[in-house]
Amino acid sequence: MADTDSRSGVTYIRDEILEWANRIHAPHDGALAASFEAPERLGLPQIQVSPLEGRLLALLLKLVAARKVVEVGTLTGYSALHMARSLPEGGRLWTIESDPVHAAAARESMRAGEVGDRVEVVEGPALDVLPGLELHAPFDAVFIDADKGNYDRYGRWAGEFLRSGGLLLADNAFYFGRILENDPAAEAVRRFHEETARTFDSVCIPTPDGLILGIRK
Ligand code: SAH
Ligand code: DHB
Ligand code: MG
Protein backbone atom coordinates (compact mmCIF):
# COMPACT_ATOMS: atom_id res chain seq x y z
CA MET A 1 0.00 0.00 0.00
CA ALA A 2 2.87 2.35 0.61
CA ASP A 3 6.53 2.63 -0.34
CA THR A 4 9.12 4.11 2.00
CA ASP A 5 8.31 7.67 0.88
CA SER A 6 4.55 7.43 1.30
CA ARG A 7 4.91 5.58 4.62
CA SER A 8 6.77 8.58 5.94
CA GLY A 9 4.03 10.98 4.84
CA VAL A 10 5.00 11.96 1.30
CA THR A 11 1.93 12.17 -0.94
CA TYR A 12 1.67 11.59 -4.66
CA ILE A 13 -1.41 13.81 -4.83
CA ARG A 14 -0.93 16.80 -7.12
CA ASP A 15 -3.54 19.17 -8.53
CA GLU A 16 -3.82 17.47 -11.87
CA ILE A 17 -3.87 13.92 -10.45
CA LEU A 18 -6.58 14.92 -7.98
CA GLU A 19 -8.66 16.67 -10.66
CA TRP A 20 -8.38 13.58 -12.87
CA ALA A 21 -9.48 11.22 -10.06
CA ASN A 22 -12.29 13.59 -9.04
CA ARG A 23 -13.54 13.59 -12.64
CA ILE A 24 -13.61 9.81 -12.85
CA HIS A 25 -14.96 8.86 -9.42
CA ALA A 26 -16.80 11.95 -8.20
CA PRO A 27 -18.15 13.87 -11.20
CA HIS A 28 -20.43 16.75 -10.27
CA ASP A 29 -23.95 17.10 -11.58
CA GLY A 30 -25.61 20.52 -11.40
CA ALA A 31 -26.67 20.33 -7.76
CA LEU A 32 -23.32 19.02 -6.47
CA ALA A 33 -21.49 21.67 -8.48
CA ALA A 34 -23.74 24.42 -7.13
CA SER A 35 -23.29 23.35 -3.49
CA PHE A 36 -19.53 22.91 -3.97
CA GLU A 37 -19.21 26.36 -5.53
CA ALA A 38 -21.58 28.11 -3.11
CA PRO A 39 -18.94 29.06 -0.51
CA GLU A 40 -16.85 30.90 -3.10
CA ARG A 41 -19.91 32.47 -4.72
CA LEU A 42 -21.20 33.73 -1.35
CA GLY A 43 -17.83 34.85 0.00
CA LEU A 44 -17.80 32.14 2.67
CA PRO A 45 -14.78 30.05 3.70
CA GLN A 46 -14.07 27.28 1.19
CA ILE A 47 -13.69 24.51 3.74
CA GLN A 48 -15.99 21.83 2.33
CA VAL A 49 -14.68 18.28 1.90
CA SER A 50 -13.13 17.42 -1.46
CA PRO A 51 -15.16 15.65 -4.16
CA LEU A 52 -13.42 12.32 -3.46
CA GLU A 53 -13.99 12.73 0.28
CA GLY A 54 -17.67 13.50 -0.33
CA ARG A 55 -17.91 10.39 -2.45
CA LEU A 56 -16.16 8.36 0.27
CA LEU A 57 -18.71 9.55 2.84
CA ALA A 58 -21.53 8.55 0.48
CA LEU A 59 -20.13 5.07 -0.14
CA LEU A 60 -19.44 4.44 3.55
CA LEU A 61 -23.06 5.26 4.36
CA LYS A 62 -24.18 2.83 1.68
CA LEU A 63 -21.93 0.11 3.11
CA VAL A 64 -23.75 0.25 6.45
CA ALA A 65 -27.15 0.88 4.79
CA ALA A 66 -27.46 4.05 6.86
CA ARG A 67 -31.01 5.32 7.36
CA LYS A 68 -30.49 7.85 10.16
CA VAL A 69 -27.45 10.11 9.99
CA VAL A 70 -26.24 13.18 11.91
CA GLU A 71 -23.75 15.70 10.51
CA VAL A 72 -22.12 18.30 12.75
CA GLY A 73 -21.06 21.27 10.58
CA THR A 74 -23.05 21.82 7.36
CA LEU A 75 -21.50 24.88 5.64
CA THR A 76 -23.40 25.08 2.32
CA GLY A 77 -24.41 21.42 2.30
CA TYR A 78 -21.88 19.86 -0.05
CA SER A 79 -21.05 16.85 2.18
CA ALA A 80 -24.71 16.73 3.24
CA LEU A 81 -25.83 16.37 -0.38
CA HIS A 82 -23.40 13.49 -0.97
CA MET A 83 -24.65 11.73 2.16
CA ALA A 84 -28.34 12.45 1.55
CA ARG A 85 -28.10 10.77 -1.84
CA SER A 86 -27.01 7.55 -0.13
CA LEU A 87 -30.10 7.33 2.06
CA PRO A 88 -32.83 4.86 1.20
CA GLU A 89 -36.47 5.88 0.91
CA GLY A 90 -37.58 7.05 4.36
CA GLY A 91 -34.00 7.75 5.47
CA ARG A 92 -33.12 11.02 7.22
CA LEU A 93 -30.10 13.28 7.66
CA TRP A 94 -30.00 15.89 10.41
CA THR A 95 -27.22 18.39 9.69
CA ILE A 96 -26.30 20.99 12.29
CA GLU A 97 -25.06 24.49 11.45
CA SER A 98 -24.64 27.45 13.79
CA ASP A 99 -24.25 30.17 11.12
CA PRO A 100 -27.63 31.25 9.70
CA VAL A 101 -26.10 32.35 6.36
CA HIS A 102 -24.49 28.92 5.93
CA ALA A 103 -27.72 27.18 6.98
CA ALA A 104 -29.80 29.16 4.46
CA ALA A 105 -27.36 28.30 1.65
CA ALA A 106 -27.46 24.64 2.68
CA ARG A 107 -31.25 24.56 2.57
CA GLU A 108 -31.06 25.90 -0.98
CA SER A 109 -28.50 23.17 -1.86
CA MET A 110 -30.85 20.51 -0.48
CA ARG A 111 -33.76 21.93 -2.47
CA ALA A 112 -31.69 22.06 -5.68
CA GLY A 113 -30.51 18.50 -5.08
CA GLU A 114 -34.11 17.38 -4.51
CA VAL A 115 -33.30 15.90 -1.10
CA GLY A 116 -35.12 18.55 0.92
CA ASP A 117 -37.65 15.96 2.10
CA ARG A 118 -34.98 13.80 3.76
CA VAL A 119 -32.62 16.44 5.15
CA GLU A 120 -33.22 18.70 8.10
CA VAL A 121 -30.77 21.59 8.43
CA VAL A 122 -30.91 22.28 12.16
CA GLU A 123 -29.71 25.76 13.04
CA GLY A 124 -27.79 26.40 16.24
CA PRO A 125 -24.61 25.52 18.13
CA ALA A 126 -24.20 21.75 17.94
CA LEU A 127 -23.90 21.26 21.70
CA ASP A 128 -27.34 22.88 22.08
CA VAL A 129 -28.89 21.03 19.15
CA LEU A 130 -27.63 17.47 19.73
CA PRO A 131 -29.74 16.72 22.85
CA GLY A 132 -32.89 17.49 20.83
CA LEU A 133 -31.96 14.80 18.29
CA GLU A 134 -31.63 12.05 20.87
CA LEU A 135 -35.25 11.00 20.47
CA HIS A 136 -34.32 9.78 16.96
CA ALA A 137 -31.47 7.56 18.23
CA PRO A 138 -29.94 5.11 17.62
CA PHE A 139 -28.18 6.56 14.56
CA ASP A 140 -26.39 4.63 11.81
CA ALA A 141 -23.68 7.24 11.20
CA VAL A 142 -22.37 10.52 12.63
CA PHE A 143 -20.05 12.81 10.62
CA ILE A 144 -18.18 15.43 12.65
CA ASP A 145 -16.81 18.45 10.78
CA ALA A 146 -17.48 21.58 12.91
CA ASP A 147 -15.45 23.41 15.60
CA LYS A 148 -12.41 21.28 16.39
CA GLY A 149 -12.27 22.29 20.06
CA ASN A 150 -15.47 20.31 20.70
CA TYR A 151 -14.52 17.13 18.80
CA ASP A 152 -14.10 15.23 22.07
CA ARG A 153 -17.64 16.16 23.15
CA TYR A 154 -19.13 15.33 19.74
CA GLY A 155 -17.30 12.00 19.78
CA ARG A 156 -18.72 11.12 23.21
CA TRP A 157 -22.21 11.97 21.99
CA ALA A 158 -21.71 9.72 18.96
CA GLY A 159 -20.47 6.91 21.18
CA GLU A 160 -23.66 7.16 23.18
CA PHE A 161 -26.20 7.45 20.36
CA LEU A 162 -24.78 5.35 17.50
CA ARG A 163 -26.06 1.81 17.13
CA SER A 164 -23.63 -1.06 17.50
CA GLY A 165 -21.96 -1.31 14.05
CA GLY A 166 -22.75 2.36 13.39
CA LEU A 167 -20.15 4.64 11.77
CA LEU A 168 -18.27 7.51 13.31
CA LEU A 169 -16.61 9.79 10.73
CA ALA A 170 -14.66 12.97 11.38
CA ASP A 171 -12.81 15.38 9.09
CA ASN A 172 -9.67 17.32 10.03
CA ALA A 173 -8.37 14.54 12.23
CA PHE A 174 -4.86 16.03 11.85
CA TYR A 175 -6.24 19.44 12.89
CA PHE A 176 -4.72 21.27 9.91
CA GLY A 177 -1.37 19.67 10.71
CA ARG A 178 -1.39 21.13 14.24
CA ILE A 179 -2.66 17.98 16.00
CA LEU A 180 0.49 17.60 18.13
CA GLU A 181 0.62 21.24 19.27
CA ASN A 182 -0.27 22.51 22.72
CA ASP A 183 -3.43 24.43 22.13
CA PRO A 184 -6.82 23.55 23.61
CA ALA A 185 -8.39 22.55 20.27
CA ALA A 186 -5.46 20.29 19.38
CA GLU A 187 -5.77 18.69 22.80
CA ALA A 188 -9.51 18.15 22.26
CA VAL A 189 -8.90 16.50 18.89
CA ARG A 190 -6.20 14.29 20.45
CA ARG A 191 -8.62 13.25 23.21
CA PHE A 192 -11.18 12.52 20.50
CA HIS A 193 -8.69 10.17 18.77
CA GLU A 194 -7.82 8.38 22.02
CA GLU A 195 -11.41 7.93 23.17
CA THR A 196 -12.52 6.82 19.71
CA ALA A 197 -9.78 4.20 19.62
CA ARG A 198 -11.09 2.83 22.93
CA THR A 199 -14.82 2.84 22.18
CA PHE A 200 -14.76 1.99 18.45
CA ASP A 201 -12.89 -0.20 16.01
CA SER A 202 -11.10 2.76 14.51
CA VAL A 203 -8.63 4.03 11.97
CA CYS A 204 -7.42 7.42 10.82
CA ILE A 205 -7.46 7.47 7.02
CA PRO A 206 -4.56 9.66 5.85
CA THR A 207 -6.54 12.01 3.65
CA PRO A 208 -4.80 15.40 3.33
CA ASP A 209 -6.08 16.43 6.79
CA GLY A 210 -7.05 12.99 8.14
CA LEU A 211 -10.46 11.30 8.29
CA ILE A 212 -11.40 9.26 11.35
CA LEU A 213 -13.43 6.15 10.69
CA GLY A 214 -14.85 4.23 13.63
CA ILE A 215 -17.28 1.34 13.89
CA ARG A 216 -19.22 1.31 17.17
CA LYS A 217 -18.45 -1.84 19.13
N1 SAH B 1 -19.25 19.48 6.24
C1 SAH B 1 -19.17 20.64 5.36
C2 SAH B 1 -18.11 21.61 5.81
C3 SAH B 1 -18.30 22.11 7.23
S1 SAH B 1 -17.24 23.49 7.59
C4 SAH B 1 -18.85 20.17 3.95
O1 SAH B 1 -17.92 19.37 3.83
O2 SAH B 1 -19.51 20.58 2.99
C5 SAH B 1 -17.58 23.70 9.28
C6 SAH B 1 -18.95 24.32 9.57
O3 SAH B 1 -19.20 24.15 10.95
C7 SAH B 1 -19.02 25.82 9.29
O4 SAH B 1 -20.10 26.10 8.43
C8 SAH B 1 -19.25 26.44 10.66
O5 SAH B 1 -20.11 27.57 10.64
C9 SAH B 1 -19.90 25.30 11.41
N2 SAH B 1 -19.74 25.35 12.87
C10 SAH B 1 -18.65 25.77 13.58
N3 SAH B 1 -18.87 25.65 14.89
C11 SAH B 1 -20.12 25.13 15.04
C12 SAH B 1 -20.92 24.74 16.15
N4 SAH B 1 -20.47 24.87 17.40
N5 SAH B 1 -22.14 24.23 15.92
C13 SAH B 1 -22.60 24.08 14.66
N6 SAH B 1 -21.90 24.41 13.56
C14 SAH B 1 -20.67 24.93 13.75
C1 DHB C 1 -11.84 24.69 8.69
C2 DHB C 1 -12.82 23.77 9.04
C3 DHB C 1 -12.90 22.58 8.36
O1 DHB C 1 -13.85 21.66 8.68
C4 DHB C 1 -12.02 22.26 7.34
O2 DHB C 1 -12.15 21.06 6.72
C5 DHB C 1 -11.04 23.17 6.98
C6 DHB C 1 -10.96 24.39 7.65
C7 DHB C 1 -11.74 25.97 9.42
O3 DHB C 1 -12.54 26.17 10.35
O4 DHB C 1 -10.88 26.79 9.08
MG1 MG D 1 -13.52 19.82 7.64
Side-chain angles (χ1 to χ4, degrees):
M1 294 226 278
D3 60 22
T4 47
D5 285 343
S6 55
R7 268 196 299 276
S8 66
V10 173
T11 179
Y12 298 117
I13 300 171
R14 290 185 278 112
D15 262 18
E16 52 178 2
I17 292 178
L18 194 53
E19 276 164 29
W20 171 81
N22 283 339
R23 241 188 349 265
I24 292 184
H25 296 286
H28 279 165
D29 61 14
L32 278 174
S35 66
F36 188 81
E37 288 155 15
E40 184 175 16
R41 191 172 64 244
L42 300 171
L44 305 176
Q46 294 173 53
I47 53 178
Q48 63 277 46
V49 296
S50 74
L52 290 177
E53 290 164 344
R55 189 81 186 132
L56 176 60
L57 295 173
L59 295 190
L60 289 169
L61 295 201
K62 281 199 181 172
L63 276 176
V64 299
R67 301 182 63 85
K68 292 189 286 179
V69 179
V70 172
E71 176 179 59
V72 184
T74 317
L75 190 63
T76 58
Y78 178 67
S79 53
L81 183 51
H82 272 287
M83 293 193 287
R85 286 181 167 178
S86 285
L87 297 174
E89 191 67 37
R92 195 147 195 84
L93 167 67
W94 293 268
T95 181
I96 308 172
E97 175 54 58
S98 57
D99 186 312
V101 174
H102 300 189
R107 289 192 187 100
E108 173 54 25
S109 298
M110 298 306 105
R111 196 202 55 73
E114 298 179 346
V115 293
D117 57 331
R118 62 180 85 165
V119 181
E120 195 175 323
V121 180
V122 192
E123 214 171 295
L127 290 175
D128 296 346
V129 169
L130 284 169
L133 300 185
E134 288 166 13
L135 78 157
H136 303 290
F139 298 99
D140 302 299
V142 172
F143 173 47
I144 300 172
D145 194 19
D147 48 328
K148 314 310 165 193
N150 280 320
Y151 267 35
D152 54 345
R153 294 183 180 89
Y154 301 147
R156 276 174 221 132
W157 189 89
E160 196 167 341
F161 295 104
L162 274 168
R163 68 165 163 89
S164 174
L167 282 189
L168 172 62
L169 301 160
D171 189 32
N172 310 107
F174 297 140
Y175 185 48
F176 320 123
R178 304 204 301 267
I179 184 68
L180 300 181
E181 291 181 10
N182 291 322
D183 79 71
E187 284 160 17
V189 180
R190 287 207 296 277
R191 269 196 304 281
F192 169 66
H193 277 260
E194 290 156 6
E195 293 175 14
T196 297
R198 277 200 292 277
T199 323
F200 292 78
D201 289 320
S202 69
V203 71
C204 182
I205 303 173
T207 57
D209 197 23
L211 181 76
I212 291 256
L213 166 62
I215 301 176
R216 186 75 173 89
K217 288 183 190 165

